[in-house]
C-alpha cells in the first residue's frame, strides 16, 4: 500500500532542548502537514512528533498528494517539484508567485497585452502560460487573482504535459496547492510580520481535538494583511481570510473532511512603469530627448480610484473509506466562487510629431527642454468585472493487487465538473487626466465613471472524465507506470456588447441598429472528447536510485483556458479548430543520497506543441492553417533535503532552448525563441540550525533575460537583461514558545526588470533591497 505523507511540522510540547524546527516557522509551519491526508492510503492518520533527538528534513517530501500518482517521487518518471511549507515560510513568502521562485524558470514574467495589464498569478513555465492550470487539492482553481499561502501546506509543481492527470491543461505542466487539514492533536501557532516598506501581516493556526468525540478535530487558519509593496508608490495588498477544516473518523476506516475558505482582498493594483530610457529602448520620433532619462521606478501612474477587489469562497467535502488494506474509495465534492472587480490605469508610452513638430501621441509636453512639463496619457483602462464558479465531484478508487508475479497499484476514477465564467459588461463614461511623466500624482481629478450595461459575456464548460492509472512492478528493480484519460467536454459561449459602429480597437458594428444597442457578438459552442495518456518506465539499479523514461501528451481545446470562444480564423479559441496538442519525452535519474535525506534529480526533456495557428501557411480559402509547431528542449537539475541533520538545502537549475519550428515568429527581437521564458535559470536556498537556537540561511537566484512578444510596437525593449538576486534569513529561538526572524531580500540592491508587457511599453520593476521581521509563536 502507498504510505501516507506524515505530518513533519508538529513539534511536541515535551521539548528536551531549545533546538527545534520551529526556528523556521511562520504561522502554521509548526502544525501538521495536510498534504498526506489527501493521498493517505493508511487506515490511520500518522503523526510525527519532532524533537531534538529526531530531526527530520524540513524541505524534502517523498510524495505528492494526488492519488493518481501511485508511487513515491523517487519512482515517479517525471519532473515534479514539491515546495514545502517549511521552505516558503522560512523565506517569508506569502503568495504563490513568491513560493514559485523556488522552481527554476517558473515565474510571473508576463505583464499583459498592449492595452490590458495582467492580473493575479500570471505564471509562465517552460515557454507557455500556465495560469489556467492551477489546482487546489487536485481541483481546478479559477480566477486571475493572487493566491495567498496562509492555508497552504505545500505547492506541487508538475512539469510536462498534465492532461492525463487533470484533463485540459497548459502544454507544459500544472501547479497544485495542498491545503491544511485538521489532525488528531492540539496545537496553536501564530505569526506577526512587519517590514520596513509598510508590510504588516498577522496569521494564526489553531487545531483542536473534540473531547468525547474520538477521532474528530477542527482547525482554523486566520489571515490579516495590510502591506505596501517595496519600491512602489501607493501599491497595497490588503486581505483578510479564514479557512476551517473539520475532520471526523480520523482513527477509523471512514474519514470525512469538511473544508471551508473565505478570502476578501481590497488591493491597489500595480499598473507598472514606462520603459522610457531603459536599456534596449529606442525613442520614437519626437522622443529622442528622453534618452538617458528613465522615470523613477517607484512611480505610480494610476489614480486613487484604481482597485482590485476580490472575494473568493470555497467549500469542499471529502470522504475516504478503506474497504481493506488494499482497497480504498475517496470522493471529493467542491463548490467554489471567485468574484473580481478591477480598475487599473494603463498606458502606452508612444511618441509622434505633427508637421509643425508638436507632440500628437500619448507623451506630450509644453517645453521640450523641461522634463517637468511632460505628460503621459492615462488613455487605457483595464476593467474587469468577472465571476468564476465551479461545481465538481471527483470519485477515485485505489486497488492494490497482483497478477502472477506482477504487482499492481491501480488508481481509477470519474470526475464531473461544471465551470462557469461571467464577464459583466461595463460602460465607461468620462476620462482620466494625463499623468505627469516624471512626477505622477494619484490624487489627480478623476472623471471616469463605470457602470454595468447588461452586455455580458458568459462561458460554461461541462466535463465528464474517466481515467485509470496503473503501476506494474515486475521486480524490485523494474516497474512501468501509465495512465489513460478521456474527457468529454462541451463549452458554450455567448458574447454581447454595446455597439458603436466605430473602427479600430473596441469597434462593434451595429448592423443597422441604433448606436448604443446591445448586440450579440458571438454565440458559439465547442464539443469534443479529449484522449490523453502517458507511459513511463523506471529501473532501480539500487534501492535509493531510479533511472526513468517517460512520454506523455496533453491537449488544450478552444476555450479551454478562458471559457471564451472566437469567430476569428486566427484565434486558437475558434471552435472549428483542433485542440492544441503537446507531446513530451523525458529521461532522468533520481537518487536519494546521504541516508535518503537528500534528493538529487536530473532530467532532459523535449516538448513539441502542435496544432498552433500558422499565418504563413494558408489553406485554399486563404485562411491560416494549424500547421504551426513549437519546441522546447531542456535540462533540469535539483537538490532538495538535508546535507546534515542541521543543514537543509533546496536548489534547482534549468536550461532551455525554445523555438518556433513552423509559423510566424512570436518574439519581438526577431529570434525564433518563445516569449516570457528565460533560457537559463538557477535558484537556491539553504539554512543551518545551531544548537543554540540560531538559524542562518540564504540563497542566490539567477534568471536570464526574457524575449517579449511582438505586436507592431516600435522602439520599445524587445528583450530584457538577466539578473541575480541574493536573499538571507536569520532567526533566533528566544524562548521555547517564541522565535524572532529577520528576512532580507535583494541584498545587493540589484535593479532589474521582473516582467514586461507584450508591447514593451510597461515593465514591472524588481523588488529593491528590503527587510521583514517576524515573531513566530507556538503553544
Amino acid at each position: 500500500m502507498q504510505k501516507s505523507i506524515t505530518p513533519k511540522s508538529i513539534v511536541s510540547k515535551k521539548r528536551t532542548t531549545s533546538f527545534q524546527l520551529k526556528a523556521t516557522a511562520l504561522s502554521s509551519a509548526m502544525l501538521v502537514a495536510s498534504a498526506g491526508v489527501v493521498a493517505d492510503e493508511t487506515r490511520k492518520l500518522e503523526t510525527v512528533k519532532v524533537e531534538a533527538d529526531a530531526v527530520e528534513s524540513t524541505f524534502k517530501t517523498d510524495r505528492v498528494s494526488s492519488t493518481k500518482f501511485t508511487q513515491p517521487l523517487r519512482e515517479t518518471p517525471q519532473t515534479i517539484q514539491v515546495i514545502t511549507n517549511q521552505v516558503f515560510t522560512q523565506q517569508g513568502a506569502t503568495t504563490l508567485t513568491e513560493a514559485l521562485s523556488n522552481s527554476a524558470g517558473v515565474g510571473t514574467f508576463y505583464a499583459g497585452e498592449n492595452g490590458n495589464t495582467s492580473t493575479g498569478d500570471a505564471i509562465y513555465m517552460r515557454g507557455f502560460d500556465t495560469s489556467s492550470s492551477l489546482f487546489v487539492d487536485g481541483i481546478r482553481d479559477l480566477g486571475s487573482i493572487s493566491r495567498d499561502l496562509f492555508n497552504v501546506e505545500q505547492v506541487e509543481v508538475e512539469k510536462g504535459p498534465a492532461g492525463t492527470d487533470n484533463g485540459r491543461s497548459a502544454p507544459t505542466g500544472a501547479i497544485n496547492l495542498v491545503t491544511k487539514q485538521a489532525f488528531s492533536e492540539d496545537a496553536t501557532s501564530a505569526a506577526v510580520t512587519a517590514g520596513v516598506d509598510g508590510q504588516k501581516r498577522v496569521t494564526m493556526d489553531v487545531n483542536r481535538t473534540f473531547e468525547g468525540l474520538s477521532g474528530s478535530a477542527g482547525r482554523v487558519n486566520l489571515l490579516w494583511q495590510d502591506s505596501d509593496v517595496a519600491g512602489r508608490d501607493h501599491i497595497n495588498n490588503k486581505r483578510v481570510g479564514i479557512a476551517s477544516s473539520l475532520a471526523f473518523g480520523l482513527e477509523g476506516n471512514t474519514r470525512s473532511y469538511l473544508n471551508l475558505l473565505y478570502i476578501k482582498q481590497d488591493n491597489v493594483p500595480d499598473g507598472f512603469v514606462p520603459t522610457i530610457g531603459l536599456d534596449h529602448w529606442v525613442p520614437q520620433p519626437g522622443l529622442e530627448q528622453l534618452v538617458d532619462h528613465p522615470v523613477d521606478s517607484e512611480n505610480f501612474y494610476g489614480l486613487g480610484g484604481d482597485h482590485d477587489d476580490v472575494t473568493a469562497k470555497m467549500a469542499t467535502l471529502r470522504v475516504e473509506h478503506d474497504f481493506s488494506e488494499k482497497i480504498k474509495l475517496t470522493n471529493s465534492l467542491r463548490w467554489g466562487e471567485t468574484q473580481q472587480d478591477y480598475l487599473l490605469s494603463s498606458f502606452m508610452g508612444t511618441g509622434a510629431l505633427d508637421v509643425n513638430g508638436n507632440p500628437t501621441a500619448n507623451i506630450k509636453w509644453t517645453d521640450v527642454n523641461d522634463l517637468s512639463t511632460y505628460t503621459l496619457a492615462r488613455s487605457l483602462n483595464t476593467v474587469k468585472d468577472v465571476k468564476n464558479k465551479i461545481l465538481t465531484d471527483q470519485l477515485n478508487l485505489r486497488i492494490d493487487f497482483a497478477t502472477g508475479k506482477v504487482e499492481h497499484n491501480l488508481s481509477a476514477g470519474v470526475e464531473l465538473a461544471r465551470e462557469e465564467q461571467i464577464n459583466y459588461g461595463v460602460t465607461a463614461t468620462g476620462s482620466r487626466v494625463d499623468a505627469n511623466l516624471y512626477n505622477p500624482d494619484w490624487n489627480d481629478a478623476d472623471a471616469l465613471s463605470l457602470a454595468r450595461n447588461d452586455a455580458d459575456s458568459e462561458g460554461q464548460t461541462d466535463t465528464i472524465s474517466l481515467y485509470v492509472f496503473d503501476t506494474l512492478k515486475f521486480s524490485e528493480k523494474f516497474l512501468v507506470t501509465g495512465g489513460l484519460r478521456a474527457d468529454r467536454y462541451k463549452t458554450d459561449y455567448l458574447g454581447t456588447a454595446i455597439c458603436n459602429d466605430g473602427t479600430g480597437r473596441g469597434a462593434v458594428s451595429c448592423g443597422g441598429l441604433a448606436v448604443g444597442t446591445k448586440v450579440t457578438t458571438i454565440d458559439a459552442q465547442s464539443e469534443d472528447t479529449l484522449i490523453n495518456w502517458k507511459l513511463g518506465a523506471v529501473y532501480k539499479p539500487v534501492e535509493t536510485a531510479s533511472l526513468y523514461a517517460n512520454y506523455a501528451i496533453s491537449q488544450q481545446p478552444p476555450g479551454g483556458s478562458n471559457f471564451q470562444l472566437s469567430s476569428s480564423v486566427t484565434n486558437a479559441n475558434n471552435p472549428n479548430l483542433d485542440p492544441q496538442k503537446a507531446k513530451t519525452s523525458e529521461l532522468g535519474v533520481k537518487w536519494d543520497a546521504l541516508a535518503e535525506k537528500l534528493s538529487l534529480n536530473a532530467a532532459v526533456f523535449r516538448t513539441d506543441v502542435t496544432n498552433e495557428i500558422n499565418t504563413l501557411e494558408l489553406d485554399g480559402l486563404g485562411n491560416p492553417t494549424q500547421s504551426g509547431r513549437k519546441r522546447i528542449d531542456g535540462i533540469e537539475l535539483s537538490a532538495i533535503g538535508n546535507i546534515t541533520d542541521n543543514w537543509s538545502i533546496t536548489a534547482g537549475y534549468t536550461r532551455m532552448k525554445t523555438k518556433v519550428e513552423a509559423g510566424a515568429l512570436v518574439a519581438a527581437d526577431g529570434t525564433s525563441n518563445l516569449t516570457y521564458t528565460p533560457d537559463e535559470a538557477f535558484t537556491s536556498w539553504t539554512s543551518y540550525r545551531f544548537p543554540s537556537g540560531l538559524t542562518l540561511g540564504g540563497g542566490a537566484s539567477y534568471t536570464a533575460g526574457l524575449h517579449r512578444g511582438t505586436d507592431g510596437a516600435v522602439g520599445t525593449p524587445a528583450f530584457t537583461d538577466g539578473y541575480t538576486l541574493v536573499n538571507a534569513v536569520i532567526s533566533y529561538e528566544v524562548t521555547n514558545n517564541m522565535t524572532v526572524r529577520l528576512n532580507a531580500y535583494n541584498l545587493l540592491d540589484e535593479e532589474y526588470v521582473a516582467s514586461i508587457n507584450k508591447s514593451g511599453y510597461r515593465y514591472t520593476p524588481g523588488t529593491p533591497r528590503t527587510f521583514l521581521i517576524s515573531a513566530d509563536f507556538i503553544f
Side-chain angles (χ1 to χ4, degrees):
M1 291 292 294
Q2 177 181 341
K3 293 182 64 179
S4 66
I5 308 173
T6 56
K8 294 183 178 179
S9 51
I10 300 174
V11 177
S12 170
K13 293 184 179 180
K14 299 179 181 178
R15 296 177 178 85
T16 57
T17 75
S18 62
F19 169 49
Q20 304 291 345
L21 290 180
K22 66 186 176 65
T24 65
L26 168 62
S27 178
S28 57
M30 292 296 99
L31 297 181
V32 61
S34 66
V37 175
V38 180
D40 184 8
E41 299 299 335
T42 62
R43 299 182 62 179
K44 295 183 179 181
L45 177 68
E46 301 177 37
T47 59
V48 176
K49 297 182 179 181
V50 181
E51 301 191 28
D53 57 350
V55 177
E56 294 192 18
S57 168
T58 58
F59 294 175
K60 179 177 177 286
T61 187
D62 295 326
R63 290 185 177 274
V64 294
S65 59
S66 174
T67 55
K68 299 167 186 174
F69 291 88
T70 62
Q71 304 303 307
L73 288 175
R74 189 172 64 201
E75 279 84 47
T76 299
Q78 186 176 351
T79 297
I80 299 177
Q81 181 180 357
V82 178
I83 306 166
T84 66
N85 179 287
Q86 289 83 357
V87 174
F88 55 73
T89 54
Q90 188 178 103
Q91 297 170 342
T94 61
T95 65
L96 172 60
T97 55
E98 291 173 345
L100 289 174
S101 66
N102 293 286
S103 187
V106 180
T108 53
F109 308 125
Y110 174 63
E113 290 285 345
N114 186 0
N116 294 318
T117 298
S118 61
T119 67
D121 299 322
I123 299 166
Y124 265 69
M125 180 164 64
R126 288 189 177 181
F128 286 86
D129 187 350
T130 315
S131 307
S132 63
S133 296
L134 303 180
F135 298 81
V136 173
D137 295 327
I139 297 174
R140 193 181 304 275
D141 191 46
L142 305 176
S144 56
I145 63 173
S146 175
R147 290 159 179 82
D148 199 279
L149 298 174
F150 84 104
N151 189 47
V152 173
E153 191 58 50
Q154 65 186 35
V155 177
E156 301 169 348
V157 184
E158 179 185 351
K159 298 184 178 181
T164 312
D165 309 311
N166 303 308
R168 71 179 196 278
S169 63
T172 50
I175 297 167
N176 183 45
L177 287 73
V178 181
T179 62
K180 299 174 181 178
Q181 307 290 303
F183 60 97
S184 307
E185 189 171 319
D186 292 344
T188 301
S189 70
V192 179
T193 301
V196 298
D197 295 286
Q199 301 97 329
K200 301 180 291 292
R201 180 180 172 95
V202 178
T203 59
M204 178 172 285
D205 189 342
V206 179
N207 193 90
R208 290 291 183 269
T209 56
F210 298 145
E211 294 186 10
L213 197 58
S214 178
S216 300
R219 186 174 186 176
V220 177
N221 276 268
L222 302 173
L223 163 69
W224 175 87
Q225 176 174 312
D226 187 355
S227 292
D228 295 335
V229 175
R232 301 290 292 121
D233 290 341
H234 306 304
I235 311 302
N236 180 267
N237 294 312
K238 184 181 297 182
R239 59 192 65 172
V240 294
I242 179 171
S244 63
S245 175
L246 294 175
F248 302 94
L250 291 176
E251 307 299 329
N253 293 332
T254 302
R255 299 166 298 282
S256 57
Y257 303 86
L258 176 62
N259 301 322
L260 304 174
L261 173 70
Y262 175 87
I263 297 179
K264 182 75 169 68
Q265 301 185 36
D266 297 293
N267 307 318
V268 177
D270 196 341
F272 311 133
V273 180
T275 55
I276 292 169
L278 289 186
D279 291 341
H280 318 302
W281 178 81
V282 178
Q284 295 177 354
L287 299 183
E288 293 84 359
Q289 66 276 17
L290 298 186
V291 173
D292 297 327
H293 292 289
V295 304
D296 188 337
S297 63
E298 295 189 4
N299 285 353
F300 176 69
Y301 290 87
L303 291 171
D306 287 6
H307 60 271
D308 180 14
D309 300 333
V310 175
T311 301
K313 296 174 282 187
M314 187 183 298
T316 307
L317 174 64
R318 189 177 72 256
V319 179
E320 305 171 351
H321 179 72
D322 298 334
F323 292 97
S324 68
E325 290 289 337
K326 297 186 176 183
I327 303 177
K328 175 184 172 181
L329 189 68
T330 302
N331 191 84
S332 296
L333 176 65
R334 164 82 55 83
W335 171 87
E337 179 182 277
T338 301
Q339 293 181 284
Q340 184 177 27
D341 178 12
Y342 187 96
L343 169 62
L344 177 69
S345 304
S346 297
F347 53 83
M348 292 173 59
T350 57
L353 300 176
D354 62 18
V355 293
N356 297 317
N358 298 314
T360 60
N362 289 300
I363 296 178
K364 298 181 181 180
W365 57 85
T366 56
D367 184 345
V368 70
N369 297 314
D370 186 355
L371 295 181
S372 68
T373 68
Y374 281 68
T375 61
L376 175 67
R378 295 184 174 108
S379 57
L380 301 174
N381 296 299
T382 299
V383 178
K384 294 181 65 176
D385 189 352
V386 60
K387 178 189 291 185
N388 285 284
K389 296 174 66 176
I390 185 171
L391 179 63
T392 183
D393 189 80
Q394 298 184 351
L395 181 67
N396 176 268
L397 178 65
R398 170 67 187 272
I399 303 177
D400 296 335
F401 63 97
T403 54
K405 294 183 178 181
V406 179
E407 298 180 9
H408 295 260
N409 303 127
L410 186 142
S411 177
V414 58
E415 299 176 2
L416 306 173
R418 167 163 289 184
E419 301 162 85
E420 302 174 60
Q421 183 181 91
I422 302 176
N423 281 282
Y424 294 100
V426 176
T427 295
T429 56
S431 61
R432 314 190 100 176
V433 300
D434 295 351
N436 186 288
L437 181 60
Y438 287 92
N439 188 28
D441 185 355
W442 84 322
N443 290 313
D444 285 341
D446 187 0
L448 185 70
S449 177
L450 303 176
R452 289 185 178 178
N453 57 24
D454 195 39
D456 306 333
S457 298
E458 302 182 34
Q460 175 179 302
T461 298
D462 294 325
T463 309
I464 179 170
S465 308
L466 301 174
Y467 65 84
V468 60
F469 297 86
D470 192 12
T471 298
L472 293 79
K473 295 183 179 178
F474 295 94
S475 67
E476 293 298 321
K477 292 184 176 294
F478 182 67
L479 59 90
V480 173
T481 182
L484 178 65
R485 182 185 181 104
D487 294 279
R488 181 64 184 178
Y489 73 90
K490 178 183 177 183
T491 296
D492 293 288
Y493 181 66
L494 175 65
T496 61
I498 302 299
C499 71
N500 54 28
D501 274 344
T503 59
R505 183 186 298 271
V508 179
S509 173
C510 292
L513 300 175
V515 171
T517 302
K518 174 183 172 181
V519 297
T520 296
T521 55
I522 184 172
D523 186 356
Q525 182 181 98
S526 177
E527 185 176 9
D528 202 352
T529 300
L530 300 179
I531 304 295
N532 293 311
W533 58 272
K534 63 180 181 180
L535 182 65
V538 176
Y539 174 71
K540 301 177 63 179
V542 295
E543 175 60 28
T544 58
S546 297
L547 305 173
Y548 70 87
N550 184 45
Y551 182 83
I553 67 171
S554 184
Q555 299 180 81
Q556 184 77 281
S561 64
N562 57 12
F563 307 99
Q564 298 178 9
L565 299 176
S566 173
S567 58
S568 172
V569 295
T570 61
N571 193 311
N573 290 320
N574 188 310
N576 296 320
L577 299 180
D578 294 329
Q580 177 195 64
K581 192 171 186 177
K583 306 173 184 178
T584 292
S585 303
E586 181 172 312
L587 298 174
V589 57
K590 300 182 179 184
W591 177 35
D592 284 347
L594 302 179
E596 302 186 38
K597 293 181 179 180
L598 181 66
S599 178
L600 302 175
N601 307 278
V604 293
F605 64 89
R606 167 172 288 181
T607 297
D608 288 298
V609 180
T610 59
N611 288 346
E612 294 278 281
I613 301 294
N614 186 352
T615 57
L616 302 182
E617 185 174 321
L618 307 181
D619 62 17
L621 299 176
N623 296 323
T625 62
Q626 283 192 268
S627 58
R629 301 189 311 276
K630 297 174 181 176
R631 170 170 289 183
I632 308 100
D633 289 314
I635 180 173
E636 292 220 12
L637 308 173
S638 68
I640 302 174
N642 276 30
I643 298 175
T644 69
D645 283 346
N646 302 332
W647 185 7
S648 300
I649 186 173
T650 175
Y653 170 81
T654 185
R655 184 173 182 84
M656 290 177 286
K657 180 180 179 182
T658 64
K659 185 178 182 181
V660 176
E661 294 274 295
L665 301 181
V666 296
D669 58 6
T671 66
S672 62
N673 296 73
L674 302 187
T675 54
Y676 314 109
T677 297
D679 298 333
E680 190 174 25
F682 169 77
T683 182
S684 65
W685 183 264
T686 185
S687 64
Y688 189 87
R689 302 185 299 267
F690 294 89
S692 63
L694 177 69
T695 294
L696 296 178
S701 63
Y702 169 75
T703 302
L706 307 174
H707 307 265
R708 76 160 175 86
T710 179
D711 62 357
V714 177
T716 56
F719 60 94
T720 66
D721 295 326
Y723 56 89
T724 300
L725 302 178
V726 177
N727 303 321
V729 66
I730 179 172
S731 68
Y732 183 71
E733 185 181 289
V734 180
T735 69
N736 283 342
N737 301 105
M738 177 182 175
T739 296
V740 176
R741 175 167 45 82
L742 176 67
N743 286 96
Y745 305 97
N746 193 3
L747 281 172
L748 303 181
D749 204 21
E750 174 146 346
E751 297 181 3
Y752 62 99
V753 175
S755 68
I756 191 167
N757 86 310
K758 185 176 181 180
S759 299
Y761 292 117
R762 304 187 295 273
Y763 80 101
T764 309
T767 302
R769 181 168 50 223
T770 190
F771 300 90
L772 288 179
I773 187 167
S774 303
D776 306 327
F777 304 91
I778 180 171
F779 303 97

